[in-house]
Amino acid sequence: MALKIVKTGAIAPQRDDLIQMGAQAFDQGNYEAAATHFLAALEQDDQDATLFTQLGVALLQQDKYDKAVMALRQALTLDPYLVDAVNTLGVTMFKLEWYAASEVFFRRALDLNPSHPTARQSLVEAMRRVRETGDVVVDDLEYLTALTKPAEPTLSLCMIVKNEEKYLEGCLASVQGVADEIIVVDTGSTDGTLAIAERFGAKVIHFPWIGDFSAARNAGIEQATGDWILVLDADERLDEATKHHLKPLLREQNVIGYSLVIENYLGQDEVEGSQMALLFRVFQNRPDIRFEGIIHEQAGPSAGRTGLKSRNCEVKIVHYGYLRSCMDERDKNRRNYELLEKFREQDPENPYAYFQLGQTLKLMNRLEEAETNYARALELLEERKAPTDLPYYPNVYYNLGDLSRRRKEFDRALGYLEKGAKLFRDHVDTRFTIGLTYMDQERWEEAIPHFERCLELGNVIHAGGIDPTIALHKALNAIAVCHTKLGDNRKGLEYIERAIARHPNPDAEIHTNMGIMLYQEQDFARALDHFVAALERDPEDLRAWINMASICFRFGRYADCVEAWDKALALDPSLSDALIPKAEALLKLGHLSEAQAALEAAIDKQPESRPALLNLSLVHLLAGRIETARPIWARFAEDADSRALACLGEIVAGHALPENRPQDADLVRTWRAVLDLALRGEREEWIQQVLAQVERLGPSIGGLALGIGQTLGAHRRYEQALSLYLRAREGSPQDPAPYVALGDLCRVTGNVDDARVMFAKATELDPRDTYARRQLLTLGAGAPDEKR
């Protein structure tokens, strides 16, 4: 079978191909071919200012000045801010020896771009030629030089208000110097709102509220005369640092509008937290761009249908409307919920309606209903294979994952979150919540890479909204906790210090985490400072109160310790473990009855708690209720502390020392601790009973006299301590410890000579005793010769 050859008509090159062919020809120096290709491309789109500029340059290279002027004039008619067209037209004027006109264009090029690579040198040369020739701009060229003075585009602020006297003035003040016109649509204000609007020269339109935000917004846009529209709410402000970047953006003719960064302050105040998003709030004033939707209204869809592109910009809006006080004042959640239900009824297949219902229900803490609506939104989006550039799409996955995580359904949470992270790789909230889900399961190593990814994403703002503090400091804080949980506390401190350095106002959580890590490093003073800082920011930070109580006990600040435990217990009454250390602090303060009440409360919750029961027996012992304490000691007969307490109880009661007693060291340690509490509580009769028995039992219990003496010395009962030290020396004359104790006692009572003698004797008995040797040197006497 022979091949059949069919001739077809030539296929005309597409516009992009023509532009590429023109650029290649220009690079090769074939300017005529370049101009031909550019002209052919312009036949397919005659609104491309940049392409007219390229054509003008190609014609200029061929010395076709008149045609170059025509092309460049058209470029500047389409876009009067195109600096390359301005500069090239200046070069063309210069070539035509119209030096004064060329000077005008070179100046304009430098106004548009002060760092232009050739315009400044060209301007100097044009000025020199003007001086030499006396050239002026002739009337016939004014139609060209007028292109350097384009009329600036105007901007109309359009807003809807009702009883906004609290916020409106701040909003209108923020647009001064930016907005050329203010249109205020009032839906029924009864306060001072209208007076404020009129003071700022606003045009006020009265529009009865019909439960439709788009209708009210569009009523204002209909009255706007500016070239561009800016939409704000009364509780929003243009950011002072970025607002002046807005007007230059309006010179762009081929952009339909701009999405601005909005920072939504959350919580109690602007310090507590925020969310960053992108909102389409600036657009050309055209009859085919209007808002749609009765609530959470949008102009983006209608702008998108124009075929022109929109862009993101750095201009920022600050929004106060999500602060808790504002939400409560206006009952916004209830109002939004009612309108969203109406929206869903009107458009039951719209995923956006379900998403926004989920958002409002989540804010209302109606979490099951919120999840149902998020799930329906996701179902509709997936059924339609919706484009992933929908701003709210990633937040559907994020919220479903977040709600599952809150219920501790971790596998389900990770299912949503990991799918969301795969589709939306730059959505930091999703990635961060994956890390939190792993932390909730104590899967610390698996969590860390997700937090590190958050740091890599940095300040990428997703249109649907992200928490900007994640990449700033929250991810660092989370990494710090993970490393600490993995046993690398030093690395944890490294990350938490970075988090604090990057936090503009470190919150309670970061201070508490820092305090815990410092506590583990035994840097108690700095740890306490951070717990105090945490509580200054959040008086209900339970972890800070618990750790502060522990540190106060260490520092001997027992009253502060009790207060901290009381705060912790008020926040969480189920903290039965807190009752025991609270009781121990009360014992240190000598408050037996309060300690007893705390311990009995702890035992009610944990009847088998050994620490609670032994401490309660100690209370009974100090109160002289030996019979009440005995059953507790018998219950823990195998416990050394319990047996030591039982022995002390028996001798205080006047009985013989029981046979079943612990080792001497355990007995002395426990008796000293009990005596310390008795001394703090000034239980003098009880103390004398104990001391009388110590006098009797001292020789039979190794170290008893010395140990009890040291406790008495710590409470400045020097005479009683001295008696016991002498008894200890008499019983063990070759033991250096009594001499050291006597030396310390002599030193603190001002008997320096005797102190030297005692420390010298201790050093003689034990040449390795560095403490005694050091005291000798401090007191001004050398240590004895070790060989002596």
Side-chain angles (χ1 to χ4, degrees):
M1 181 177 177
L3 290 172
K4 184 176 181 181
I5 300 173
V6 179
K7 291 184 178 181
T8 61
I11 299 174
Q14 297 297 305
R15 176 176 174 275
D16 289 346
D17 295 331
L18 288 166
I19 294 172
Q20 184 176 3
M21 292 162 62
Q24 289 175 345
F26 189 95
D27 291 342
Q28 294 167 3
N30 191 346
Y31 304 119
E32 184 175 358
T36 300
H37 292 312
F38 292 147
L39 272 171
L42 285 165
E43 288 175 359
Q44 297 183 29
D45 178 7
D46 63 358
Q47 297 299 306
D48 189 333
T50 301
L51 193 51
F52 271 113
T53 303
Q54 291 175 293
L55 174 61
V57 173
L59 292 167
L60 176 63
Q61 293 295 330
Q62 300 174 67
D63 297 334
K64 296 179 179 179
Y65 302 131
D66 291 345
K67 291 183 178 180
V69 169
M70 292 172 61
L72 294 166
R73 178 190 176 191
Q74 185 60 26
L76 292 175
T77 301
L78 291 169
D79 184 355
Y81 304 96
L82 196 58
V83 65
D84 287 341
V86 171
N87 184 68
T88 305
L89 196 47
V91 173
T92 307
M93 297 291 100
F94 192 92
K95 293 285 188 179
L96 290 167
E97 298 184 357
W98 295 337
Y99 302 123
S102 71
E103 179 183 345
V104 172
F105 281 98
F106 292 137
R107 288 188 185 279
R108 173 62 174 166
L110 287 170
D111 285 342
L112 293 172
N113 181 9
S115 59
H116 192 282
T118 62
R120 189 168 302 281
Q121 184 177 350
S122 298
L123 174 62
V124 171
E125 183 61 22
M127 292 170 64
R128 186 178 69 80
R129 294 294 181 94
V130 168
R131 287 197 302 272
E132 290 176 354
T133 63
D135 187 40
V136 295
V137 178
V138 297
D139 294 344
D140 290 346
L141 294 180
E142 287 185 357
Y143 79 100
L144 287 176
T145 54
L147 293 171
T148 64
K149 301 173 183 178
E152 288 289 328
T154 55
L155 179 67
S156 296
L157 168 66
C158 294
M159 55 195 312
I160 56 176
V161 298
K162 181 180 178 182
N163 294 335
E164 295 285 6
E165 65 179 2
K166 180 177 180 180
Y167 293 102
L168 183 59
E169 183 167 358
C171 176
L172 297 181
S174 77
V175 301
Q176 297 300 291
V178 178
D180 302 289
E181 176 183 53
I182 298 173
I183 308 291
V184 171
V185 176
D186 183 71
T187 61
S189 294
T190 56
D191 62 1
T193 295
L194 297 184
I196 295 170
E198 289 167 358
R199 194 166 74 245
F200 280 87
K203 180 179 180 180
V204 177
I205 300 166
H206 298 280
F207 186 86
W209 177 244
I210 59 173
D212 187 332
F213 280 96
S214 285
R217 293 230 187 262
N218 292 335
I221 294 173
E222 293 287 347
Q223 300 296 318
T225 61
D227 300 310
W228 291 75
I229 303 293
L230 165 65
V231 175
L232 292 177
D233 288 332
D235 53 17
E236 296 174 342
R237 311 278 186 275
L238 279 186
D239 170 55
E240 194 65 30
T242 59
K243 69 180 185 180
H244 297 294
H245 298 163
L246 182 56
K247 287 299 281 282
L249 297 175
L250 309 185
R251 299 166 182 167
E252 187 66 59
Q253 298 296 310
N254 294 322
V255 174
I256 196 62
Y258 294 93
S259 290
L260 278 60
V261 176
I262 184 165
E263 183 170 12
N264 299 301
Y265 290 138
L266 309 174
Q268 196 62 40
D269 54 39
E270 53 264 41
V271 175
E272 187 171 328
S274 67
Q275 182 213 42
M276 303 283 271
L278 294 168
L279 288 182
F280 188 72
R281 289 293 194 86
V282 174
F283 47 87
Q284 290 189 35
N285 187 0
R286 294 171 40 147
D288 52 350
I289 303 179
R290 291 294 183 266
F291 279 92
E292 300 170 2
I294 63 173
I295 185 171
H296 294 297
E297 63 283 6
Q298 303 174 82
S302 63
R305 291 192 289 270
T306 66
L308 292 174
K309 298 292 185 182
S310 63
R311 292 182 185 169
N312 300 334
C313 71
E314 63 180 339
V315 180
K316 187 167 82 171
I317 299 170
V318 178
H319 181 214
Y320 295 90
Y322 287 147
L323 288 176
R324 196 171 300 125
S325 58
C326 186
M327 294 292 286
D328 293 343
E329 279 173 17
R330 304 176 181 186
D331 199 10
K332 273 189 172 184
N333 285 331
R334 181 192 58 78
R335 180 205 67 186
N336 290 354
Y337 175 71
E338 292 173 356
L339 286 172
L340 284 165
E341 283 284 18
K342 182 179 175 182
F343 181 15
R344 181 173 64 175
E345 290 170 8
Q346 291 176 351
D347 195 355
E349 298 300 308
N350 189 333
Y352 185 64
Y354 290 96
F355 168 73
Q356 289 294 355
L357 256 173
Q359 294 287 82
T360 297
L361 288 163
K362 189 176 181 183
L363 287 171
M364 296 169 77
N365 207 34
R366 293 163 60 176
L367 302 184
E368 288 186 17
E369 295 171 84
E371 183 172 20
T372 299
N373 281 277
Y374 287 135
R376 180 57 178 155
L378 181 59
E379 182 182 4
L380 289 168
L381 288 166
E382 291 182 337
E383 281 178 3
R384 298 175 182 185
K385 295 182 171 54
T388 54
D389 60 357
L390 287 175
Y392 66 94
Y393 204 160
N395 293 82
V396 177
Y397 284 106
Y398 158 70
N399 280 291
L400 283 167
D402 181 52
L403 290 176
S404 295
R405 171 181 164 260
R406 293 189 191 193
R407 290 196 307 273
K408 302 189 183 304
E409 295 177 1
F410 300 127
D411 290 342
R412 183 182 177 88
L414 289 172
Y416 285 123
L417 294 166
E418 288 175 349
K419 186 171 182 180
K422 185 176 181 179
L423 287 171
F424 308 100
R425 296 180 180 276
D426 62 346
H427 196 253
V428 69
D429 291 58
T430 300
R431 184 67 65 177
F432 185 70
T433 310
I434 293 174
L436 292 180
T437 307
Y438 282 122
M439 286 184 73
D440 289 340
Q441 301 172 80
E442 299 186 1
R443 295 162 66 179
W444 314 111
E445 285 187 87
E446 292 169 270
I448 290 173
H450 296 283
F451 297 131
E452 289 175 339
R453 175 61 180 153
C454 293
L455 297 176
E456 292 170 6
L457 288 172
N459 294 322
V460 175
I461 300 175
H462 197 277
I466 57 104
D467 178 352
T469 62
I470 290 174
L472 186 65
H473 54 77
K474 283 184 177 177
L476 289 167
N477 179 40
I479 295 172
V481 172
C482 288
H483 281 302
T484 299
K485 294 291 187 179
L486 288 167
D488 193 343
N489 198 54
R490 292 296 176 89
K491 199 160 191 177
L493 274 170
E494 174 190 328
Y495 275 94
I496 201 75
E497 285 170 351
R498 286 173 59 190
I500 287 179
R502 293 180 63 172
H503 200 311
N505 185 23
D507 57 18
E509 180 186 6
I510 285 186
H511 277 296
T512 297
N513 287 341
M514 180 72 162
I516 290 170
M517 293 175 200
L518 289 168
Y519 190 110
Q520 292 174 354
E521 292 295 307
Q522 298 190 347
D523 191 345
F524 302 118
R526 283 181 64 204
L528 184 60
D529 288 341
H530 282 282
F531 294 134
V532 169
L535 292 167
E536 287 173 349
R537 288 155 178 80
D538 181 8
E540 296 187 356
D541 188 328
L542 179 61
R543 294 186 305 148
W545 283 119
I546 291 172
N547 284 281
M548 175 178 277
S550 299
I551 291 181
C552 287
F553 191 91
R554 280 181 172 272
F555 286 170
R557 292 165 51 178
Y558 302 117
D560 291 337
C561 174
V562 171
E563 182 183 356
W565 283 124
D566 283 340
K567 294 286 189 182
L569 285 162
L571 291 170
D572 185 358
S574 68
L575 277 176
S576 56
D577 288 346
L579 292 165
I580 300 170
K582 175 188 171 181
E584 290 173 347
L586 287 165
L587 284 171
K588 290 286 190 180
L589 293 168
H591 300 165
L592 288 190
S593 59
E594 293 176 52
Q596 180 176 341
L599 291 165
E600 288 174 346
I603 293 166
D604 283 343
K605 295 181 179 181
Q606 298 183 38
E608 302 301 316
S609 172
R610 171 189 168 276
L613 287 164
L614 286 182
N615 274 296
L616 182 60
S617 76
L618 178 54
V619 171
H620 293 319
L621 173 61
L622 291 168
R625 299 190 292 267
I626 307 300
E627 292 298 325
T628 308
R630 281 193 179 110
I632 299 175
W633 296 328
R635 187 172 179 176
F636 299 100
E638 300 304 315
D639 187 284
D641 289 337
S642 179
R643 283 184 287 142
L645 289 171
C647 290
L648 184 57
E650 294 304 324
I651 69 163
V652 169
H655 302 144
L657 190 67
E659 291 294 329
N660 182 25
R661 75 187 203 197
Q663 293 182 1
D664 288 354
D666 290 331
L667 191 145
V668 172
R669 173 179 53 78
T670 302
W671 286 16
R672 286 188 64 184
V674 178
L675 179 61
D676 175 71
L677 295 177
L679 289 163
R680 289 176 183 276
E682 299 179 352
R683 310 189 71 79
E684 195 61 38
E685 183 179 347
W686 192 95
I687 293 167
Q688 293 308 320
Q689 286 180 282
V690 170
L691 293 181
Q693 296 303 323
V694 168
E695 289 282 338
R696 178 172 65 85
L697 297 172
S700 63
I701 300 174
L704 180 62
L706 179 61
I708 297 297
Q710 288 172 325
T711 300
L712 290 166
H715 285 269
R716 299 185 180 182
R717 298 177 72 140
Y718 299 131
E719 287 188 16
Q720 291 170 312
L722 177 61
S723 174
L724 289 169
Y725 290 156
L726 291 172
R727 184 178 291 275
R729 184 180 68 173
E730 182 181 338
S732 302
Q734 299 305 306
D735 183 356
Y739 295 98
V740 171
L742 284 165
D744 282 332
L745 182 60
C746 292
R747 178 173 51 79
V748 298
T749 56
N751 193 343
V752 176
D753 291 338
D754 286 349
R756 289 195 189 99
V757 172
M758 293 298 107
F759 288 128
K761 183 61 177 177
T763 305
E764 178 185 332
L765 292 171
D766 183 4
R768 296 169 299 177
D769 190 333
T770 57
Y771 176 80
R773 186 180 297 277
R774 189 164 60 249
Q775 294 305 313
L776 271 177
L777 292 172
T778 302
L779 293 171
D785 188 346
E786 294 180 10
K787 296 179 181 179
R788 188 175 60 188

